[in-house]
């Protein structure tokens, strides 16, 4: 396929992608959008100009602050709409000859303020990388028995804070909380000294289900609209003191960052791969058929204030032990209901090599092996005014699609 819109060969946003987001334009208009190269396309304008008349979309579903209403239409609508947009952007299409609509609907990405793409009613964070779970177990438990007994039997997860999920570019204030200093007999209160990132991805659901309803691994992907990059910021010192017995709380809920573009499962389909062998055999409700993992290249970089980017981690989403279908099947097996826009993060994505570890906790082995940056400074954890950048893309047979990036700058704790 070839678009009439020019873009760089290595662009994440090729004609094969057609992601969805929400943007604010220079006249303060807000609308649902897609992107090709550096061109953002206002879908509300295409609707008003008659380009979606063949679909039963009701009122202008793209004239909205979020994508929730659009994705709630389900894949029977959203998949053909995406394919239709793709055809409109090809050479020789009706839109390619409609300069008036192009002038109204097309905007350079530099002139668009990207927003949180969906309203997130609920957020769950999983713990599904065996390499990450093993590393954490080696550090804090028994190196010879790093995984807890349940880990290979179910996708471990917890319910996080949906209201503090923010779009890429939103600064994050260093969190404060209780910590227990080494060899101390009582906790102290103050800003976290061991602030970390977690390299993750997240999927977003497109449907409502009733209490008591379950979703099988076979049905799961029908309920998943697409994916974003996800940075699960973590205060490790706060976490260590608070997490027993109920798990993460203040160490996590101060902020999570996502990329602004939702890449659909349909765009990702050519990049499916087999997941790792699961041993012991999982229970019947977690069994699945086909390729459920995705070959998504991932990077994490640290950029000190006024400094250069430093690549510190290269990982891949294909490493995940538990896949999205299993995660959603497990999440609903007890009758938990879904809502449109719910977000489900993967958990830290680590590989087997040290340069593929998806957190500072692992990369520096709890601060014992500091990373040296290009400017000569060292990092055990994230410092004030550091920006953490994550990027992700797929590439195969000359076709590239990607997520762009999610970035966030750490500001000093508020007084």
């Amino acid at each position: 396929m070839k678009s009439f819109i020019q873009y760089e060969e290595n662009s994440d946003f090729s004609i094969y992608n057609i992601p969805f987001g929400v943007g604010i334009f220079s006249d303060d208009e807000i609308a649902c959008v897609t992107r090709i190269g550096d061109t953002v396309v206002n879908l509300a304008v295409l609707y008003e100009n008659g380009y979606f008349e063949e679909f039963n979309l009701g009122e202008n579903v793209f004239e909205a602050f979020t994508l929730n209403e659009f994705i709630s239409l389900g894949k029977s609508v959203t998949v053909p709409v995406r394919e239709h947009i793709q055809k409109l952007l090809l050479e020789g299409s009706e839109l390619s000859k409609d300069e008036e609509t192009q002038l109204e609907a097309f905007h350079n990405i530099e002139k668009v303020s990207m927003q949180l793409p969906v309203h997130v009613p609920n957020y769950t964070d999983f713990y599904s990388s065996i390499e990450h779970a093993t590393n954490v177990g080696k550090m804090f438990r028994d190196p010879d028995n790093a995984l807890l007994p349940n880990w290979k039997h179910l996708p471990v997860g917890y319910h996080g804070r949906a209201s503090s999920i923010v779009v890429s570019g939103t600064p994050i204030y260093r969190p404060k909380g209780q910590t227990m200093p080494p060899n101390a007999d009582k906790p102290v209160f103050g800003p976290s000294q061991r602030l970390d990132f977690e390299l993750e991805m997240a999927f977003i659901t497109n449907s409502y289900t009733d209490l008591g309803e379950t979703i099988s691994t076979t049905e799961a992907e029908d309920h998943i609209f697409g994916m974003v990059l996800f940075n699960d910021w973590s205060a490790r010192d706060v976490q260590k003191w608070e997490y027993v017995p109920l798990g993460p709380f203040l160490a996590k809920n101060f902020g999570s960052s996502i990329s602004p573009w939702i890449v659909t499962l349909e765009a990702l389909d050519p990049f499916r791969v087999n997941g790792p062998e699961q041993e012991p055999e999982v229970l019947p409700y977690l069994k699945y058929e086909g390729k459920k993992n995705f070959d998504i290249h991932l990077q994490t970089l640290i950029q000190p204030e006024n400094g250069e980017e430093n690549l510190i981690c290269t990982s891949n989403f294909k490493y995940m032990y538990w896949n999205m279908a299993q995660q959603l099947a497990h999440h609903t097996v007890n009758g938990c209901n879904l809502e449109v826009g719910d977000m489900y993060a993967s958990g830290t994505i680590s590989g087997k090599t040290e340069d593929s570890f998806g957190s500072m906790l692992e990369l520096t082995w709890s601060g014992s092996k500091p990373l040296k940056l290009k400017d000569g400074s060292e990092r055990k954890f994230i410092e004030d005014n550091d920006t953490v950048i994550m990027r992700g893309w797929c590439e195969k047979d000359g076709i590239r699609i990607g997520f762009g990036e999610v970035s966030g700058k750490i500001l000093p704790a508020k007084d």
Side-chain angles (χ1 to χ4, degrees), residues 216-268:
S216 69
T217 56
T218 303
E219 302 164 324
E221 290 186 357
D222 291 335
H223 296 267
I224 299 173
F225 177 70
M227 300 186 70
V228 293
L229 299 170
F230 193 97
N231 183 352
D232 181 22
W233 298 100
S234 303
R236 299 299 186 187
D237 43 0
V238 176
Q239 184 177 4
K240 185 178 180 182
W241 172 235
E242 75 174 3
Y243 84 102
V244 177
L246 293 182
F249 185 37
L250 299 186
K252 299 277 193 174
N253 68 5
F254 61 94
S256 305
S257 303
I258 69 167
S259 52
W261 296 102
I262 304 176
V263 177
T264 65
L265 286 195
E266 290 68 43
L268 294 169

Side-chain angles (χ1 to χ4, degrees), residues 22 65-69 71 115-125 158-168 202-208 226-230 255-260 262 331 337-345:
V22 174
F65 290 83
T66 71
L67 286 160
N68 291 54
E69 186 180 353
I71 69 177
Q115 305 299 296
L116 202 67
V118 290
H119 166 66
V120 184
N122 306 287
Y123 156 52
T124 296
D125 189 24
Y158 74 94
H159 291 286
R161 183 73 177 178
S163 67
S164 55
I165 296 174
V166 297
V167 74
S168 177
F203 67 84
I204 296 164
T205 50
N206 62 3
S207 61
Y208 296 97
M227 300 186 70
V228 293
L229 299 170
F230 193 97
S256 305
S257 303
I258 69 167
S259 52
I262 304 176
H331 201 295
N337 58 312
L338 305 184
E339 294 189 79
V340 172
D342 282 353
M343 193 163 289
Y344 304 80

Side-chain angles (χ1 to χ4, degrees), residues 29-296:
E29 179 186 2
I30 188 168
C32 300
V33 295
T34 190
R35 178 176 176 180
I36 181 163
D38 290 334
T39 300
V40 174
V41 182
N42 185 331
L43 297 175
V45 170
L46 297 191
Y47 180 100
E48 291 296 337
N49 289 10
Y51 281 96
F52 295 109
E53 285 183 349
E54 65 190 79
F55 299 96
N56 185 23
L57 299 179
E59 295 184 3
N60 194 338
V61 72
F62 301 118
E63 201 171 55
F65 290 83
T66 71
L67 286 160
N68 291 54
E69 186 180 353
F70 171 63
I71 69 177
S72 73
L73 298 173
K75 294 207 173 188
S76 63
V77 175
T78 61
V79 171
V81 165
R82 174 184 167 271
E83 292 171 349
H84 179 68
I85 295 168
Q86 196 171 47
K87 290 175 183 176
L88 289 176
L89 297 174
L90 290 175
E91 285 185 337
S93 70
E94 182 184 355
L95 181 59
S96 71
K97 303 163 188 173
D98 185 352
E99 293 184 4
E100 186 176 340
T101 296
Q102 292 178 37
L103 195 61
E104 190 180 356
F106 291 5
H107 303 260
N108 186 276
I109 184 63
E110 297 298 328
K111 296 182 179 180
V112 182
S113 175
M114 295 304 299
Q115 305 299 296
L116 202 67
V118 290
H119 166 66
V120 184
N122 306 287
Y123 156 52
T124 296
D125 189 24
F126 285 99
Y127 187 52
S128 291
S129 160
I130 193 169
E131 288 81 9
H132 174 66
T134 300
N135 288 338
V136 172
K138 286 179 178 178
M139 271 184 263
F140 298 113
R141 289 188 291 275
D142 178 3
D144 296 324
N145 295 282
L147 295 177
L148 289 170
N150 66 351
W151 200 91
K152 286 189 172 182
H153 293 276
L154 55 85
V156 175
Y158 74 94
H159 291 286
R161 183 73 177 178
S163 67
S164 55
I165 296 174
V166 297
V167 74
S168 177
T170 306
I172 299 289
Y173 288 95
R174 181 174 294 273
K176 294 180 285 189
Q178 287 192 28
T179 59
M180 179 65 86
N183 305 315
D185 58 1
K186 60 181 180 180
V188 299
F189 176 81
S192 170
Q193 301 302 305
R194 293 165 70 87
L195 183 58
D196 201 356
F197 66 84
E198 291 191 343
L199 172 61
E200 306 193 19
M201 299 200 68
F203 67 84
I204 296 164
T205 50
N206 62 3
S207 61
Y208 296 97
T209 60
D210 295 325
L211 282 171
E213 185 177 347
T214 61
I215 294 171
S216 69
T217 56
T218 303
E219 302 164 324
E221 290 186 357
D222 291 335
H223 296 267
I224 299 173
F225 177 70
M227 300 186 70
V228 293
L229 299 170
F230 193 97
N231 183 352
D232 181 22
W233 298 100
S234 303
R236 299 299 186 187
D237 43 0
V238 176
Q239 184 177 4
K240 185 178 180 182
W241 172 235
E242 75 174 3
Y243 84 102
V244 177
L246 293 182
F249 185 37
L250 299 186
K252 299 277 193 174
N253 68 5
F254 61 94
S256 305
S257 303
I258 69 167
S259 52
W261 296 102
I262 304 176
V263 177
T264 65
L265 286 195
E266 290 68 43
L268 294 169
D269 197 62
F271 305 96
R272 290 179 181 271
V273 293
N274 290 315
E277 182 180 355
Q278 294 181 333
E279 182 65 37
E281 185 178 10
V282 298
L283 290 172
Y285 79 93
L286 289 170
K287 291 182 179 178
Y288 66 94
E289 295 182 357
K291 297 179 179 181
K292 299 295 186 184
N293 282 40
F294 294 86
D295 184 9
I296 304 173

Side-chain angles (χ1 to χ4, degrees), residues 155 217 278 282 286 288 321-330:
T217 56
Q278 294 181 333
V282 298
L286 289 170
Y288 66 94
Y321 187 87
W322 297 104
N323 60 55
M324 293 183 287
Q326 291 177 308
Q327 290 170 342
L328 199 57
H330 182 67

